[in-house]
Amino acid sequence: MAEDSVHKPLLDQNGVFETFDVRDTPLFVSSLKWVLKFVMWVLLVAWIAFIFIYPTEFGSQLSQKWNRATSGTVFGITGSMFLAFSGPILVIAFLSIAHLIVSGEDHLERKKKTSKHPRFRLWTFPVLIDGPFGVVSAAELMGIVVFVVFIIMAVYVYTIRNLNLLAKFQFPTKEQSVWMLELTGLRFGMIGLLCLAFLFIPVARGSVLLRLIDIPFEHATRYHVWLGHLTMLLFTLHGLFYVIVWAIQGHLIHELLEWKSIGIANLPGVISLLAGLMMWVTSLQPVRKQYFELFFYTHQLYIVFVVFLALHVGDFIFSIAAGGIFLFILDRFLRFCQSRRTVDVLSTKCFPCGTVELVLSKPTNLRYNALSFIFLQVRGLSWLQWHPFSVSSSPLDGKHHLAVLIKVLGDWTEKLRENILSISEEELSAGPHTKITASVEGPYGHELPYHLMYENLILVAGGIGISPFLAILSDVLHRIREGKPCLPRNILIVWAVKNSNELPLLLDLDMESICPFFSNKLNIETCIYVTRESEPPLEEGRLHKAVNSTVCPLSLRSGMSVLVGTGNNIWSGLYVISSTFGFVISIALLNIFYVKPFGVSSWWYKGLLFTICMVSSVLIFGGPVIGLWHLWERRISASDEYEEDKIKVDKAHNNGTIDHKDLNQKNQKSSTAILYGTRPDFKEIFESVSKNWGHVDVGVIVCGPPTLQSSVAKEIRSHSLSRQNHDPVFHFNSHSFDL
């Protein structure tokens, strides 16, 4: 890579980066945000600390004292356990809503100032790269270490307690060994239940907790996978130890089929464990990659897993993990309501490389950013399958639409492409053509558009990974044109593709039409590596471009719902709070008018009633709020004037080919180099950036296969460990979704 291929940051006349003045946050608002954050941190630390010490003798005594002090209420021992283990996370969710409402939508609180001193950040410094966890940042490693320490400590402490307990009795050696196995299995079950308290929190896609700490769903999914492996390992050991004990005692079948009224019911536990094992096995990477539909369908067994777990342990033990599960139920019902609406596909386009572009209608009040994901369902292809895709358009591209790029990789995407091509043929034959509709969940993503937080960006993409970067480029250009807060002033794009027929994906973005003369304020360098071709294609250096497109009439348009993703904070807060208080009221009424008067004592039955209350409270108390939210959304959408929305259809859609010269002319303000038969040399790229950009923060965003992420992360880690004081600080950010 040439040394002059990466320019130095553009400076204004005073030698400082040009940014935008934003109104100062009022003292009262900033103070309230600080207080809310402080209280949430105190609650979070106290909650984690309580779970951490719970396996110890001191934690057991503390829990017993808490239960004695609080179990005299109408909620009984179940209320005490729920308040201690699940209450804190729900209170934090309430405070998160308040914090999001107070914060508003102004996330770019920046003033015109000189460039600050570059520094490392725990979330963006890759520490572990080649391992079972993939690329792990320093902050993520700290979380992994905490969980590992907790598991080791809990196993050790429980083992000591088991030995001390058995020492009080004079058992024969064989019987003592059997008791030790049974107690160990019991302890593994309790540790698994404590881990289960965290398992469902990351997969609540629109959760206020994830939005508060700005962890997007594609990152949180990794944490769910890690926790899932750990939890299922513990539950499997729990079941295995009991099976061994029952086999030694000679009544294995009897114990497996036993369903006690008072105490632990074994058969529901067996059913729950079998459902969990099916989900676990099919979620392993080799199976998931090759048989995704099998993984997807078996993962719906989480309902069986959770319900029969509640029947297995009863209400008061199940309440240990109920908080995270309840937040997931809230999110799941909200997503169900959003996904019932069908969305018009305004236009479609098929690229020669096997990629499809869909432009979907949306209401003007649906907010998202350039790094968002949506989940897409096309009922004509499957009523059950939902697939995640990066948004390839900027929210500033248009008020009433967003776009996604979909690469044909499997049966579902192949059928989608065939449908689009068949509709294009119908249009050519001048006959009646079918309108494509879809259902959408989302958008999900970072609460803060972190691509706007760096003055210097390196965007590394592999193949279809260019999709979110098209959105980033469009977003930055729109913001510069409209004078909105936007820090990026230097952008380097490194794009590796297999074949040159993928290059038209980048040509859809006409930078000059978005922001004329953008080069006065923004440096954009593009290096494209065509790895499987040694030279430009023949046919006089011409590349084929997409020719298939269809546009849905604007009068038929039906936009997606705004119920989830980054929806209205006030309505979202009302939904969470009303459902939670409804759950508390439901449990109280159930105890007052049914459980106590009729002497209901069966553990499994009370566990069933508990889960019914969790679900029914969301439907009965949260449902009306969603209905009012939906009416409010329709009223806002009806007041919009559709005339403002202009869907940009590229004139080049009508052209059969495009010349390499056209590519260079289109990007003459943003230098573009296309290299054939080679791969990116990230060591050379980062050295060139270090020499030309100097002592600055550089945000590196990677979207591509794991090997690409690892290569970039290794170079960033190597550079960070050997950097000099005058070198830039590279910040690793992954934007790759891997279910």
Side-chain angles (χ1 to χ4, degrees):
M1 180 177 177
E3 295 181 356
D4 58 351
S5 62
V6 180
H7 298 300
K8 295 183 179 180
L10 289 177
L11 305 176
D12 65 13
Q13 293 179 354
N14 296 320
V16 297
F17 286 106
E18 181 185 358
T19 57
F20 298 84
D21 293 322
V22 178
R23 185 180 302 174
D24 289 332
T25 304
L27 179 61
F28 170 76
V29 174
S30 59
S31 301
L32 181 58
K33 289 168 61 177
W34 186 89
V35 170
L36 289 171
K37 274 189 175 181
F38 177 77
V39 174
M40 285 187 288
W41 271 109
V42 170
L43 279 173
L44 180 62
V45 171
W47 180 54
I48 294 177
F50 177 69
I51 291 177
F52 210 91
I53 66 171
Y54 182 74
T56 65
E57 192 70 38
F58 172 74
S60 178
Q61 294 174 0
L62 184 65
S63 177
Q64 292 174 8
K65 291 180 180 179
W66 168 262
N67 291 339
R68 286 195 296 268
T70 58
S71 60
T73 66
V74 68
F75 302 101
I77 184 67
T78 302
S80 300
M81 298 288 284
F82 184 85
L83 191 60
F85 287 95
S86 298
I89 197 66
L90 294 178
V91 174
I92 292 173
F94 294 166
L95 297 176
S96 301
I97 295 167
H99 187 275
L100 289 171
I101 293 173
V102 171
S103 299
E105 300 181 9
D106 184 16
H107 302 301
L108 296 176
E109 298 179 357
R110 299 280 191 249
K111 294 183 180 180
K112 191 173 183 179
K113 60 183 179 179
T114 56
S115 56
K116 57 185 178 181
H117 185 70
R119 59 187 178 86
F120 290 103
R121 299 167 192 166
L122 293 177
W123 280 108
T124 59
F125 179 63
V127 179
L128 300 180
I129 297 174
D130 294 323
F133 298 105
V135 179
V136 178
S137 68
E140 292 171 334
L141 179 61
M142 292 170 62
I144 293 172
V145 169
V146 168
F147 267 95
V148 170
V149 170
F150 167 69
I151 298 300
I152 294 175
M153 186 210 71
V155 172
Y156 173 77
V157 169
Y158 273 139
T159 302
I160 298 300
R161 291 181 62 183
N162 291 343
L163 292 173
N164 292 337
L165 178 63
L166 292 176
K168 297 179 181 180
F169 303 93
Q170 299 298 323
F171 290 119
T173 304
K174 181 180 179 181
E175 189 173 350
Q176 188 174 22
S177 300
V178 171
W179 273 105
M180 186 64 185
L181 286 173
E182 186 168 350
L183 287 173
T184 302
L186 175 67
R187 305 305 192 184
F188 274 126
M190 178 54 67
I191 300 172
L193 201 61
L194 293 174
C195 292
L196 186 66
F198 297 90
L199 179 63
F200 282 86
I201 295 176
V203 285
R205 299 175 186 171
S207 169
V208 291
L209 297 177
L210 298 183
R211 292 178 59 192
L212 175 73
I213 56 181
D214 195 28
I215 294 181
F217 177 64
E218 70 269 17
H219 289 187
T221 302
R222 295 206 314 159
Y223 311 149
H224 171 74
V225 172
W226 300 346
L227 287 168
H229 289 318
L230 176 61
T231 303
M232 283 311 305
L233 175 63
L234 293 168
F235 280 154
T236 302
L237 291 173
H238 164 71
L240 181 62
F241 273 73
Y242 271 97
V243 167
I244 294 173
V245 169
W246 296 335
I248 293 174
Q249 294 174 341
H251 42 79
L252 174 62
I253 302 300
H254 171 74
E255 290 288 352
L256 289 176
L257 299 178
E258 189 175 39
W259 193 313
K260 297 178 182 176
S261 294
I262 306 298
I264 300 297
N266 293 341
L267 182 56
V270 172
I271 296 173
S272 178
L273 181 59
L274 289 176
L277 287 173
M278 290 181 67
M279 290 189 292
W280 189 23
V281 171
T282 55
S283 68
L284 298 175
Q285 189 172 14
V287 180
R288 187 179 73 247
K289 289 295 184 184
Q290 192 164 358
Y291 305 101
F292 178 81
E293 291 187 10
L294 178 64
F295 154 75
F296 180 85
Y297 292 131
T298 54
H299 237 63
Q300 309 312 308
L301 291 173
Y302 73 86
I303 299 174
V304 176
F305 173 77
V306 170
V307 171
F308 279 89
L309 176 64
L311 301 181
H312 173 57
V313 299
D315 57 338
F316 73 96
I317 298 178
F318 180 74
S319 62
I320 292 175
I325 296 173
F326 185 69
L327 290 176
F328 174 78
I329 293 173
L330 286 170
D331 178 75
R332 188 65 191 90
F333 181 63
L334 202 59
R335 290 191 282 119
F336 172 81
C337 294
Q338 187 200 29
S339 62
R340 293 310 90 196
R341 178 183 293 187
T342 56
V343 178
D344 285 340
V345 177
L346 300 179
S347 69
T348 62
K349 188 195 313 181
C350 293
F351 291 90
C353 60
T355 297
V356 173
E357 181 189 58
L358 301 183
V359 179
L360 307 167
S361 64
K362 78 171 188 68
T364 58
N365 56 329
L366 185 142
R367 298 188 297 110
Y368 71 99
N369 64 55
L371 287 169
S372 295
F373 283 90
I374 65 169
F375 281 76
L376 199 64
Q377 177 204 56
V378 180
R379 295 177 184 175
L381 305 180
S382 172
W383 277 80
L384 294 177
Q385 290 190 45
W386 291 82
H387 295 266
F389 300 103
S390 296
V391 173
S392 60
S393 61
S394 162
L396 300 176
D397 281 336
K399 294 182 179 180
H400 301 285
H401 73 281
L402 61 78
V404 293
L405 288 175
I406 302 172
K407 187 169 185 178
V408 176
L409 292 174
D411 293 339
W412 188 88
T413 51
E414 181 62 40
K415 291 178 183 177
L416 177 63
R417 179 180 171 87
E418 290 175 358
N419 282 9
I420 294 173
L421 291 174
S422 65
I423 291 175
S424 298
E425 292 175 358
E426 291 175 1
E427 290 179 342
L428 292 175
S429 63
H433 62 273
T434 307
K435 181 179 66 172
I436 299 179
T437 60
S439 297
V440 176
E441 286 185 9
Y444 306 102
H446 282 273
E447 186 70 11
L448 303 179
Y450 67 89
H451 63 283
L452 301 177
M453 304 302 180
Y454 296 102
E455 290 164 339
N456 308 278
L457 281 174
I458 300 178
L459 309 178
V460 182
I464 194 60
I466 196 66
S467 177
F469 298 157
L470 298 176
I472 288 178
L473 290 172
S474 179
D475 197 46
V476 170
L477 292 169
H478 275 292
R479 286 178 172 274
I480 290 176
R481 186 189 67 186
E482 299 175 17
K484 293 187 176 183
C486 178
L487 288 184
R489 287 297 176 265
N490 289 277
I491 299 178
L492 171 62
I493 304 169
V494 180
W495 186 26
V497 297
K498 293 180 180 179
N499 302 295
S500 57
N501 61 0
E502 298 183 54
L503 298 183
L505 296 176
L506 187 59
L507 303 183
D508 254 17
L509 188 65
D510 190 348
M511 301 185 197
E512 280 295 316
S513 67
I514 297 175
C515 182
F517 310 110
F518 69 87
S519 58
N520 295 333
K521 294 185 177 181
L522 180 67
N523 286 326
I524 299 180
E525 300 289 332
T526 304
C527 294
I528 303 175
Y529 297 83
V530 184
T531 59
R532 293 189 178 179
E533 295 179 6
S534 58
E535 58 186 12
L538 299 178
E539 301 178 9
E540 300 179 355
R542 301 171 77 83
L543 294 172
H544 290 281
K545 196 180 179 185
V547 296
N548 302 295
S549 66
T550 180
V551 178
C552 174
L554 299 182
S555 59
L556 298 177
R557 191 162 44 187
S558 173
M560 63 189 70
S561 174
V562 299
L563 292 181
V564 297
T566 53
N568 185 278
N569 292 328
I570 296 178
W571 281 112
S572 177
L574 289 174
Y575 167 66
V576 172
I577 293 172
S578 63
S579 298
T580 305
F581 278 101
F583 172 58
V584 175
I585 293 171
S586 300
I587 292 292
L589 294 176
L590 187 69
N591 286 331
I592 294 172
F593 295 104
Y594 181 64
V595 173
K596 292 185 177 180
F598 290 91
V600 177
S601 59
S602 297
W603 285 26
W604 71 265
Y605 185 53
K606 293 175 73 173
L608 177 62
L609 294 176
F610 191 87
T611 56
I612 291 174
C613 285
M614 291 175 67
V615 176
S616 62
S617 63
V618 176
L619 298 176
I620 297 172
F621 293 89
V625 176
I626 293 178
L628 294 173
W629 188 356
H630 179 67
L631 292 175
W632 172 84
E633 175 201 343
R634 289 182 61 181
R635 183 178 178 182
I636 295 297
S637 299
S639 63
D640 295 334
E641 295 182 2
Y642 286 117
E643 291 80 7
E644 295 179 1
D645 183 31
K646 303 296 182 182
I647 306 298
K648 298 180 179 178
V649 180
D650 222 338
K651 293 181 179 179
H653 281 198
N654 299 320
N655 297 331
T657 58
I658 187 164
D659 201 303
H660 276 284
K661 296 179 180 179
D662 295 336
L663 174 63
N664 294 329
Q665 290 172 2
K666 275 188 147 186
N667 296 282
Q668 59 185 345
K669 298 295 182 65
S670 57
S671 177
T672 300
I674 304 178
L675 306 176
Y676 289 86
T678 184
R679 298 179 181 274
D681 185 340
F682 290 109
K683 181 177 182 181
E684 182 182 355
I685 291 172
F686 282 97
E687 286 178 354
S688 178
V689 168
S690 299
K691 182 175 181 180
N692 291 287
W693 286 4
H695 189 46
V696 293
D697 280 309
V698 179
V700 182
I701 307 177
V702 185
C703 186
T707 53
L708 180 66
Q709 296 182 58
S710 298
S711 299
V712 176
K714 284 180 182 178
E715 190 55 43
I716 289 178
R717 184 180 64 179
S718 175
H719 180 274
S720 299
L721 295 176
S722 61
R723 66 179 292 273
Q724 304 296 321
N725 291 332
H726 59 274
D727 289 336
V729 175
F730 294 103
H731 301 274
F732 179 84
N733 298 273
S734 172
H735 187 70
S736 297
F737 196 102
D738 183 27
L739 275 178

